[in-house]
Amino acid sequence: MNQTVKTYFDAFNAGDVDGMLACLSDDIAHHVNEGQIRTGKEKFAAFCAHMNRCYRENLTDIVIFQAEGGTRAAAEFIVNGTYLETDEGLPDAHGQTYRLPAGSFFDLKDGKISRVTTFYNLADWARQVSNG
């Protein structure tokens, strides 16, 4: 298991954005699910601030995989969340809860995460919060 990726997820679950940022290279390429690529720690921090305003999430059942050589890793997990504030273009928020399988893929360089790509089923999320 890659310790940098584990530390990143531990920081996520602790709500520690600075701890997450410490795991990232300065030129981090953040590939957002069904969104644009954001480059750099400043844009990653802004994304985290937005997410923390709209959602409260905790990841469980995390399994981390690492490629030989340590330059790539992946993780599968369950996102357990509460939809706190309406996110633009998405259903209205009123405290709905959701549970989604998700995965993240990482490039690693010099002990830091240089790319993170996360995937989950947005239609499944929308169905859950629309019925909540």
Side-chain angles (χ1 to χ4, degrees), residues 9 11 47-48 69 72 106 115-116 124 131:
F9 283 122
F47 174 82
C48 289
R72 294 176 65 191
F106 302 90
R115 175 190 60 91
V116 59
D124 183 19
N131 293 334

Side-chain angles (χ1 to χ4, degrees), residues 97-119:
T97 59
Y98 52 92
R99 182 173 163 84
L100 286 173
S104 289
F105 302 89
F106 302 90
D107 284 344
L108 300 143
K109 183 175 65 176
D110 301 325
K112 301 281 186 178
I113 297 167
S114 59
R115 175 190 60 91
V116 59
T117 303
T118 300
F119 292 107

Side-chain angles (χ1 to χ4, degrees), residues 50-51 53-57 80-98 125-126 128-130:
H50 168 82
M51 292 297 289
R53 186 178 71 251
C54 294
Y55 311 90
R56 181 174 49 248
E57 296 180 331
N80 305 278
T82 304
Y83 190 25
L84 303 172
E85 182 179 308
T86 301
D87 202 344
E88 184 179 343
L90 297 174
D92 289 340
H94 50 84
Q96 307 94 307
T97 59
Y98 52 92
W125 175 87
Q128 289 184 49
V129 301
S130 294

